[in-house]
Short mmCIF file of all heavy atoms in Angstrom, two decimals:
data_model
loop_
_atom_site.label_atom_id
_atom_site.label_comp_id
_atom_site.label_asym_id
_atom_site.label_seq_id
_atom_site.Cartn_x
_atom_site.Cartn_y
_atom_site.Cartn_z
N ALA A 122 8.05 3.65 11.42
CA ALA A 122 7.21 4.85 11.35
C ALA A 122 6.33 4.99 12.59
O ALA A 122 6.20 6.08 13.15
CB ALA A 122 6.34 4.80 10.10
N LEU A 123 5.75 3.89 13.03
CA LEU A 123 4.87 3.93 14.20
C LEU A 123 5.63 4.33 15.46
O LEU A 123 5.14 5.14 16.26
CB LEU A 123 4.19 2.58 14.38
CG LEU A 123 3.16 2.21 13.31
CD1 LEU A 123 2.78 0.74 13.43
CD2 LEU A 123 1.92 3.09 13.41
N ASP A 124 6.82 3.78 15.63
CA ASP A 124 7.63 4.14 16.81
C ASP A 124 7.99 5.62 16.78
O ASP A 124 7.96 6.31 17.80
CB ASP A 124 8.90 3.29 16.86
CG ASP A 124 8.62 1.83 17.20
OD1 ASP A 124 7.50 1.54 17.67
OD2 ASP A 124 9.53 1.00 17.02
N ARG A 125 8.34 6.12 15.59
CA ARG A 125 8.69 7.53 15.45
C ARG A 125 7.47 8.41 15.74
O ARG A 125 7.58 9.45 16.41
CB ARG A 125 9.21 7.78 14.03
CG ARG A 125 9.65 9.21 13.78
CD ARG A 125 10.29 9.32 12.40
NE ARG A 125 11.49 8.49 12.31
CZ ARG A 125 12.17 8.28 11.18
NH1 ARG A 125 11.77 8.85 10.06
NH2 ARG A 125 13.25 7.53 11.18
N ALA A 126 6.32 8.00 15.24
CA ALA A 126 5.10 8.77 15.46
C ALA A 126 4.72 8.80 16.94
O ALA A 126 4.33 9.85 17.48
CB ALA A 126 3.96 8.18 14.63
N ALA A 127 4.85 7.66 17.59
CA ALA A 127 4.51 7.60 19.01
C ALA A 127 5.44 8.50 19.83
O ALA A 127 5.00 9.17 20.78
CB ALA A 127 4.60 6.16 19.50
N GLU A 128 6.71 8.53 19.47
CA GLU A 128 7.65 9.39 20.18
C GLU A 128 7.30 10.86 19.96
O GLU A 128 7.35 11.67 20.89
CB GLU A 128 9.07 9.11 19.68
CG GLU A 128 10.14 10.03 20.29
CD GLU A 128 10.20 9.94 21.80
OE1 GLU A 128 9.90 8.87 22.37
OE2 GLU A 128 10.55 10.98 22.43
N GLN A 129 6.92 11.21 18.74
CA GLN A 129 6.53 12.58 18.47
C GLN A 129 5.27 12.96 19.25
O GLN A 129 5.16 14.08 19.78
CB GLN A 129 6.29 12.77 16.96
CG GLN A 129 5.84 14.17 16.56
CD GLN A 129 6.85 15.24 16.92
OE1 GLN A 129 8.06 14.98 16.97
NE2 GLN A 129 6.38 16.44 17.19
N ALA A 130 4.33 12.04 19.35
CA ALA A 130 3.12 12.31 20.12
C ALA A 130 3.46 12.56 21.59
O ALA A 130 2.88 13.46 22.23
CB ALA A 130 2.14 11.15 19.98
N ARG A 131 4.42 11.80 22.13
CA ARG A 131 4.82 12.00 23.52
C ARG A 131 5.46 13.37 23.70
O ARG A 131 5.28 14.03 24.74
CB ARG A 131 5.77 10.89 23.97
CG ARG A 131 5.07 9.55 24.19
CD ARG A 131 5.98 8.54 24.85
NE ARG A 131 7.06 8.09 23.98
CZ ARG A 131 6.97 7.04 23.16
NH1 ARG A 131 5.84 6.35 23.08
NH2 ARG A 131 8.00 6.69 22.41
N ARG A 132 6.19 13.84 22.69
CA ARG A 132 6.80 15.16 22.76
C ARG A 132 5.71 16.25 22.79
O ARG A 132 5.89 17.27 23.46
CB ARG A 132 7.73 15.40 21.57
CG ARG A 132 8.98 14.56 21.56
CD ARG A 132 9.98 15.12 20.56
NE ARG A 132 11.06 14.18 20.28
CZ ARG A 132 11.13 13.42 19.20
NH1 ARG A 132 10.20 13.53 18.27
NH2 ARG A 132 12.14 12.60 19.03
N VAL A 133 4.65 16.02 22.07
CA VAL A 133 3.56 17.00 22.06
C VAL A 133 2.90 17.07 23.43
O VAL A 133 2.52 18.15 23.90
CB VAL A 133 2.53 16.65 20.97
CG1 VAL A 133 1.30 17.57 21.05
CG2 VAL A 133 3.18 16.76 19.59
N GLY A 134 2.76 15.91 24.09
CA GLY A 134 2.18 15.91 25.42
C GLY A 134 1.55 14.59 25.78
O GLY A 134 1.06 13.87 24.91
N THR A 135 1.56 14.27 27.05
CA THR A 135 1.04 13.00 27.52
C THR A 135 -0.43 12.83 27.17
O THR A 135 -0.88 11.76 26.75
CB THR A 135 1.21 12.87 29.05
OG1 THR A 135 2.60 12.97 29.36
CG2 THR A 135 0.67 11.55 29.55
#
Side-chain angles (χ1 to χ4, degrees):
L123 291 168
D124 289 346
R125 182 173 298 172
E128 176 59 30
Q129 179 60 29
R131 287 190 291 270
R132 292 194 194 102
V133 173
T135 301

